[in-house]
């Protein structure tokens, strides 16, 4: 093949964001974001440096505070408006400014691929008007690219999780970025993706959360450090804003953090340093009203699409701000299922744009590959269950669908002031009652609360789960820094054995005998025998040879089936058994067929 032919066929995927942009390419049938020095993100900032050269990305963002007159931020908000913005001595259209960003992204792709790139797929918000879409297309063309498709961002996000495929799916995409919030309901019908409804708030995002924390820091600086003019000092404001964003990001994995900034001002000749503790609980309370607004939009989008929460096949988290843990919690409470955030929420729109590019290029596309935990890992604590006090409330630390490796820390308190020991139980499972989950480890932490303020400061538990299923547990008493470490090996494999044991226990209950293994074979192979006959004598049906055969195969498959299939097998065996006992011949046959279908894949 001539290299010129390949080159002209390459299409890149571009996520042109309000705060950040990324470019992705196809490699080996899979989308891949282009990184430079490990960094995938190009801030959507354009500026002129002191010598009058155009700079894009981090360099432009870094000069924004010092040289706002020659730096442009958030140009996406003006796309399609016909306004002009000034950058240094000249004025530019929004398309021209966006074109600088696209050029920088294109150059990245060219460096990664080692050859020229002429075509691109670019994403836009679902609510963009024709004028805004047209302006985006023009920006691409000014940057020297043919824009083969403009794709809606929620569509791209959905494509990053499932690149088309057969069947019909309903997906809710919750996208909370740096400066905008969108929620969309997307339908996939035999590979065709359509946005059914989209709503949101294009003035709500991570910047607002930074402002909430920055306000706490400014108040601290004024009241504790006596710096009265903090609000009038733009450089100090910018510094506190940056510290606030960093603090917010750390609070996504830690319940408390300490913000340390040296020499924030001089008061009476004395240098003043900032050292202020922030808690996730306070932060979540501060942003509660903002998040409630996003949940109302979720309801609106579902209503507009005519889709009930129970009809959703998936919920996807998009945008960096969805890493704030309470967002997944709020969505799970509202919609009754855990959202997915395993495809990097900053990158999934760019990855989806590349999937679309691959489809345009006629490639056989596969979805993004990520390693996730299929189970939630947590501990138990005194708390509530169904609104009542309960001694074994399940407290998840690493939720299912979290990308691995993962580290999460939570704060806990001893129940009484003089309590010297805690038992740290490690569970795997999804039930709010810890005792209904699988206990996979237990560690004892003794000698607590020997210091006066130790009780008030509590303990921090950290779970650290790696790709091999090694779960490291770490607990530290905050007041003293004393710590213990524990390891649960094969944390993910364990469940399969446990699930198998639980499944067999359920089946043994069904046939009313003690030895699940022996009695299963017996029940499946000879339903007329004593164990079965007892239950079916009250007007039940005798199992046909076909049903007996299916039950036998199901019993054998249970030993080797993956955990999620075991559950389903057990449910179906139970259903079949009930249908026989209650004399529902049609149902029994339908369940048998269902079982046969699953067995077809398992055998
Ligand atoms: P995006 O516009 O999607 O690139 O999202 C950028 C926003 O995500 C910024 O406000 C970031 O501060 C925020 N962000 C990134 N990582 C985290 C995190 N771990 N926790 C909370 N916010 C984050």
């Amino acid at each position: 093949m001539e290299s010129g032919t390949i080159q002209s066929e390459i299409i890149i995927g571009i996520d042109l964001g309000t705060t950040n942009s990324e470019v992705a390419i196809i490699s080996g049938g899979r989308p891949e974001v282009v990184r430079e020095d490990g960094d995938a993100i190009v801030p959507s900032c354009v500026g002129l440096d002191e010598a009058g050269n155009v700079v894009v990305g981090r360099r432009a963002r870094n000069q924004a505070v010092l040289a706002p007159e020659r730096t442009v931020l958030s140009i996406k908000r003006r796309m399609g408006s016909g306004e002009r913005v000034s950058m240094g001595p000249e004025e530019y259209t929004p398309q021209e400014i966006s074109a600088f960003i696209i050029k920088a992204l294109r150059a990245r792709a060219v460096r990664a691929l080692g050859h020229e790139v002429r075509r691109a797929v670019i994403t836009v918000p679902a609510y963009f008007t024709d004028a805004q879409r047209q302006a985006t297309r023009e920006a691409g063309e000014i940057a020297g690219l043919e824009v083969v498709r403009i794709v809606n961002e929620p569509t791209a996000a959905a494509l990053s999780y499932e690149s088309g495929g057969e069947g019909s799916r309903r997906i809710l995409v919750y996208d909370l970025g740096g400066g905008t919030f969108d929620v969309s309901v997307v339908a996939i019908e035999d590979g065709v993706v359509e946005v059914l409804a989209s709503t949101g708030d294009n003035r709500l995002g991570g910047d607002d959360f930074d402002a909430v924390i920055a306000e706490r820091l400014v108040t601290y600086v004024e009241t504790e450090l006596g710096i009265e003019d903090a609000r009038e000092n733009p450089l100090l404001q910018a510094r506190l804003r940056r510290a606030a964003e960093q603090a917010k990001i750390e609070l996504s994995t830690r319940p408390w953090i300490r913000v340390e900034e040296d020499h924030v001002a001089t008061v009476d000749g004395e240098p003043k340093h900032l050292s202020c503790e922030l808690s996730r609980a306070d932060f979540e309370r501060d942003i509660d009203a903002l998040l409630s607004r996003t949940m109302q939009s979720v309801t609106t989008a579902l209503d507009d699409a005519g889709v009930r929460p129970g009809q959703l096949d998936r919920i996807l988290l998009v945008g960096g701000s969805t890493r704030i843990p309470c967002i997944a919690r709020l969505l799970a409470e509202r919609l009754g299922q855990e959202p997915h955030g395993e495809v990097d929420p900053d990158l999934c729109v760019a990855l989806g744009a590349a999937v679309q590019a691959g489809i345009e290029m006629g490639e056989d596309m596969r979805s993004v590959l990520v390693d996730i935990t299929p189970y939630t890992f947590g501990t138990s604590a005194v708390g509530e269950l169904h609104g009542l006090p309960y001694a074994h409330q399940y407290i998840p630390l690493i939720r299912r669908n979290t990308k691995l490796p993962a580290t999460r820390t939570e704060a806990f308190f001893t129940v009484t002031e003089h309590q010297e020991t805690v038992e740290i139980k490690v569970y795997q499972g999804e039930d709010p009652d810890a005792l209904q989950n699988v206990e996979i480890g237990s560690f004892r932490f003794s000698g607590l609360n020997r210091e006066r303020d130790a009780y008030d400061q509590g303990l921090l538990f950290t779970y650290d789960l790696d790709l091999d299923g090694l779960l490291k547990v770490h607990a530290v008493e905050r007041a003293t820094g004393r710590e213990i470490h524990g390891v649960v090996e094969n944390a993910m494999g364990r469940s399969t054995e446990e699930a198998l044991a639980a499944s067999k226990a359920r089946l043994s209950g069904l046939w009313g005998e003690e030895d699940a293994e022996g009695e299963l074979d017996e029940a499946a192979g000879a339903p007329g025998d004593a164990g079965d006959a007892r239950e079916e004598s009250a007007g039940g049906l005798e199992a046909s040879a076909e049903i007996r055969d299916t039950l036998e195969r199901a019993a054998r498959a249970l030993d080797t089936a993956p955990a999620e299939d075991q559950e389903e097998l057990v449910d179906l065996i139970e259903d079949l058994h009930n249908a026989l006992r209650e004399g529902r011949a049609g149902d029994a046959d339908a369940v048998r067929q269902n079982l046969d279908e699953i067995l077809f894949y398992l055998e």
Side-chain angles (χ1 to χ4, degrees):
M1 247 191 291
E2 273 178 59
S3 61
T5 320
I6 303 172
Q7 287 168 16
S8 63
E9 280 176 7
I10 291 283
I11 307 175
I12 57 174
I14 290 179
D15 170 8
L16 190 60
T18 307
T19 326
N20 294 315
S21 297
E22 300 85 26
V23 60
I25 55 174
I26 303 295
S27 172
R30 284 194 195 280
E32 205 174 84
V33 172
V34 181
R35 294 173 189 269
E36 284 192 351
D37 300 326
D39 199 354
I41 286 170
V42 176
S44 305
C45 302
V46 182
L48 292 179
D49 67 9
E50 280 167 357
N53 301 313
V54 174
V55 287
V56 175
R58 289 199 193 276
R59 277 187 64 198
R61 198 181 67 175
N62 291 344
Q63 71 167 38
V65 178
L66 294 170
E69 72 290 348
R70 46 186 166 85
T71 315
V72 181
L73 305 171
S74 304
I75 193 64
K76 186 170 173 179
R77 293 192 191 283
R78 296 169 196 248
M79 289 296 270
S81 68
E83 299 169 36
R84 298 175 77 80
V85 291
S86 54
M87 182 168 70
E90 307 240 0
E91 289 202 331
Y92 299 84
T93 63
Q95 295 80 313
E96 286 166 341
I97 297 291
S98 291
F100 286 123
I101 302 171
I102 296 173
K103 264 192 174 168
L105 296 167
R106 175 191 178 184
R108 255 186 182 226
V110 168
R111 283 191 292 272
L113 291 163
H115 58 71
E116 200 38 77
V117 171
R118 278 185 271 274
R119 307 208 289 163
V121 167
I122 305 182
T123 59
V124 295
Y127 61 78
F128 253 28
T129 60
D130 281 348
Q132 290 169 307
R133 284 164 199 265
Q134 186 50 33
T136 306
R137 196 176 272 283
E138 282 170 23
E141 280 159 15
I142 297 168
L145 287 167
E146 178 198 343
V147 181
V148 286
R149 275 285 283 271
I150 294 280
V151 176
N152 289 315
E153 288 162 8
T155 300
L159 283 174
S160 77
Y161 277 85
E162 34 202 318
S163 49
E166 284 173 11
S168 144
R169 324 255 296 137
R170 298 274 178 279
I171 297 170
L172 183 124
V173 181
Y174 179 101
D175 181 349
L176 189 57
T180 60
F181 165 66
D182 300 294
V183 54
S184 311
V185 181
V186 172
I188 304 186
E189 303 281 351
D190 292 330
V192 179
V193 192
E194 182 193 0
V195 179
L196 298 180
S198 190
T199 180
D201 185 337
N202 64 6
R203 297 275 161 187
L204 174 62
D207 298 348
D208 298 290
F209 308 148
D210 299 346
V212 161
I213 294 183
E215 182 54 35
R216 270 187 186 265
L217 297 181
V218 172
T219 308
Y220 183 91
V221 160
E222 283 175 341
T223 54
E224 303 293 321
L225 304 183
I227 303 167
E228 284 161 11
D229 61 352
R231 283 174 206 280
E232 284 81 57
N233 180 341
L235 279 183
L236 178 58
Q237 287 285 340
R239 209 170 146 192
L240 293 181
R241 262 297 176 108
R242 266 184 204 214
E245 180 176 15
Q246 193 51 38
K248 172 190 75 173
I249 290 171
E250 284 178 30
L251 283 173
S252 288
T253 48
R254 306 191 63 78
W256 281 291
I257 50 117
R258 183 162 284 281
V259 181
E260 311 257 15
E261 288 285 317
D262 282 346
H263 206 153
V264 284
T266 307
V267 178
D268 301 333
E270 287 268 310
K272 292 283 176 188
H273 309 298
L274 164 71
S275 176
C276 163
E277 189 174 271
L278 298 173
S279 82
R280 186 196 293 163
D282 287 340
F283 173 57
E284 288 184 351
R285 213 169 302 122
D286 288 346
I287 63 169
D288 185 53
L290 294 172
L291 294 184
S292 296
R293 265 167 51 195
T294 70
M295 292 300 146
Q296 281 159 14
S297 298
V298 167
T299 305
T300 308
L302 284 170
D303 287 349
D304 291 351
V307 171
R308 290 191 306 280
Q311 292 174 312
L312 289 171
D313 295 293
R314 253 187 214 267
I315 300 158
L316 303 184
L317 298 176
V318 179
S321 299
T322 58
R323 293 202 183 87
I324 297 172
C326 65
I327 292 179
R329 213 169 52 229
L330 288 171
L331 283 166
E333 277 165 20
R334 167 76 185 82
L335 302 172
Q337 60 174 291
E338 287 289 333
H340 288 254
E342 63 265 27
V343 178
D344 193 325
D346 293 313
L347 308 182
C348 69
V349 171
L351 289 165
V355 171
Q356 184 64 48
I359 294 169
E360 302 286 339
M361 285 155 61
E363 288 229 7
D364 181 16
M365 289 305 302
R366 277 160 286 160
S367 332
V368 182
L369 192 62
V370 267
D371 288 300
I372 56 160
T373 158
Y375 312 105
T376 298
F377 294 91
T379 189
S380 72
V382 175
E384 282 191 351
L385 186 66
H386 310 309
L388 295 172
Y390 184 60
H392 309 282
Q393 183 188 348
Y394 186 45
I395 313 287
L397 268 91
I398 297 182
R399 290 181 177 270
R400 65 189 292 204
N401 301 332
T402 302
K403 186 173 165 190
L404 297 179
T407 303
R408 296 284 184 278
T409 304
E410 284 292 341
F412 294 87
F413 294 88
T414 45
V415 180
T416 60
E417 202 166 336
H418 304 296
Q419 186 178 337
E420 286 191 2
T421 305
V422 291
E423 204 72 52
I424 303 169
K425 301 264 190 196
V426 184
Y427 291 97
Q428 176 205 71
E430 317 302 322
D431 202 291
D433 177 355
L435 301 183
Q436 297 303 315
N437 294 319
V438 180
E439 185 184 321
I440 57 169
S442 175
F443 304 96
R444 177 177 286 247
F445 198 169
S446 310
L448 299 169
N449 291 330
R450 292 207 179 129
E451 288 195 6
R452 219 159 45 86
D453 62 349
Y455 173 62
D456 291 334
Q457 295 193 27
L459 302 164
L460 293 179
F461 290 3
T462 302
Y463 280 17
D464 185 339
L465 181 62
D466 74 9
L467 281 166
D468 299 322
L470 194 73
L471 177 66
K472 291 188 192 138
V473 179
H474 172 226
V476 56
E477 187 178 31
R478 289 190 77 212
T480 61
R482 282 192 339 104
E483 54 190 351
I484 61 157
H485 295 270
V487 172
V488 181
E489 292 191 32
N490 197 14
M492 288 189 277
R494 192 81 64 96
S495 70
T496 320
E497 292 156 34
E498 300 280 351
L500 185 61
S503 301
K504 286 189 170 169
R506 275 177 66 196
L507 280 186
S508 100
L510 195 60
W511 272 278
E513 291 194 9
E514 303 226 315
D515 173 5
E517 200 108 49
E519 126 330 286
L520 225 175
D521 287 340
E522 190 188 318
D529 285 0
D532 243 5
R534 266 201 316 273
E535 285 204 49
E536 289 178 11
S537 58
L541 289 172
E542 187 155 327
S544 64
E546 226 177 352
I547 288 182
R548 284 209 303 274
D549 173 61
T550 301
L551 280 169
E552 231 173 76
R553 286 164 47 224
R556 276 199 301 273
L558 258 183
D559 278 330
T560 48
E564 60 273 24
D565 293 323
Q566 287 173 2
E567 271 291 304
E568 199 167 355
L569 281 177
V570 173
D571 285 344
L572 288 170
I573 295 172
E574 260 181 335
D575 287 352
L576 182 48
H577 189 79
N578 290 338
L580 285 175
R581 200 181 48 219
E582 289 157 20
R584 292 180 279 117
D587 288 351
D589 205 48
V591 180
R592 179 196 58 76
Q593 279 182 24
N594 222 333
L595 255 178
D596 273 344
E597 268 168 35
I598 296 183
L599 291 169
F600 176 80
Y601 289 103
L602 293 177
E603 287 173 346

